[in-house]
């Protein structure tokens, strides 16, 4: 609830209110320190998602007066992503899903997020097995062979994922699940 309120406060700020942005940034830092999650972990996670915010903000440079819009978008998105990263580091995902249900987010979206979360780990495990198998069969160190083998792994992973998703959907329908 607090993360949603924080993001709404960041979004509601008018452009150019840098003292308010600074205050919210400090409040986020205090929250991070109070959570006792290592700042290095939060920083790494924030840096992992920051290129998406930077990509959106860069589009603002193409319009007149774009530098101010660029800075505002970058500040707002960085603060919002920081709040989401902190939420993800301190709250188990099933509690986030429960909160989404209480906020009356459509149940189909909550169910989709739950299934995505559940099968993301299955997908990562499958990818690891396929990469180990590729490494055990590939003896060449050339980049071309590595790229070609990686492309083959991605293609096979897509096919296996699609097949597995169809089997899971059929099993869910057999148990009475309806969209």
């Amino acid at each position: 609830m607090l993360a949603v309120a924080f993001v709404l406060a960041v979004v509601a700020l008018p452009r150019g209110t840098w003292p308010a942005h600074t205050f919210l940034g400090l409040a986020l830092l205090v929250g991070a320190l109070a959570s006792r999650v290592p700042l290095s972990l939060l920083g790494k996670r924030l840096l992992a998602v920051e290129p998406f915010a930077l990509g959106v903000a860069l589009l603002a440079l193409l319009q007149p007066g774009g530098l101010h819009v660029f800075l505002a978008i970058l500040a707002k998105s960085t603060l919002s992503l920081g709040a989401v990263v902190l939420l993800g580091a301190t709250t188990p995902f099933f509690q986030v899903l429960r909160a989404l249900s209480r906020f009356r987010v459509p149940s189909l979206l909550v169910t989709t997020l739950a299934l995505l979360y559940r099968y993301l780990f299955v997908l990562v495990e499958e990818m690891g097995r396929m990469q180990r198998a590729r490494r055990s069969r590939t003896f060449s160190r050339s980049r071309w062979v590595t790229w070609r083998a990686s492309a083959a792994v991605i293609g096979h992973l897509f096919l296996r994922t699609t097949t597995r998703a169809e089997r899971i959907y059929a099993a869910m329908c057999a148990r009475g699940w309806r969209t």
Side-chain angles (χ1 to χ4, degrees):
M1 178 78 171
L2 190 60
V4 172
F6 183 87
V7 170
L8 290 176
V10 168
V11 170
L13 283 176
R15 231 182 316 159
T17 54
W18 298 112
H21 284 85
T22 304
F23 174 76
L24 287 175
L26 290 174
L28 185 62
L29 182 63
V30 167
L33 291 172
S35 72
R36 295 191 176 143
V37 176
L39 290 180
S40 61
L41 174 72
L42 295 175
K44 287 177 188 176
R45 289 182 180 180
L46 184 60
L47 283 176
V49 294
E50 191 64 30
F52 298 107
L54 186 60
V56 170
L58 282 174
L59 294 175
L61 291 175
L62 301 175
Q63 63 182 345
L67 182 62
H68 297 293
V69 176
F70 167 78
L71 293 174
I73 290 174
L74 192 61
K76 286 176 183 278
S77 60
T78 300
L79 288 171
S80 298
L81 287 172
V84 171
V85 165
L86 183 60
L87 174 70
T90 57
T91 309
F93 192 71
F94 73 90
Q95 288 181 352
V96 173
L97 292 176
R98 190 177 305 145
L100 288 174
S101 293
R102 278 190 301 213
F103 285 134
R104 300 198 189 276
V105 171
S107 62
L108 183 60
L109 179 61
V110 175
T111 302
T112 302
L113 288 173
L115 289 171
L116 173 74
Y117 181 73
R118 165 62 182 100
Y119 289 105
L120 185 66
F121 296 106
V122 174
L123 180 65
V124 168
E125 182 182 322
E126 184 78 21
M127 184 177 66
R129 278 198 306 262
M130 290 176 70
Q131 284 180 334
R132 270 193 313 277
R134 180 194 51 84
R135 279 194 305 266
S136 69
R137 293 182 183 106
T138 305
F139 299 108
S140 175
R141 295 280 185 202
S142 76
R143 277 194 187 179
W144 173 251
V145 172
T146 303
W147 278 97
R148 193 168 155 214
S150 295
V153 166
I154 291 169
H156 288 291
L157 184 62
F158 177 76
L159 290 174
R160 285 186 181 188
T161 302
T162 304
T163 304
R164 180 172 280 179
E166 289 172 354
R167 288 194 321 257
I168 291 169
Y169 180 73
M172 289 170 59
C173 287
R175 289 175 178 86
W177 188 79
R178 299 287 175 246
T179 56

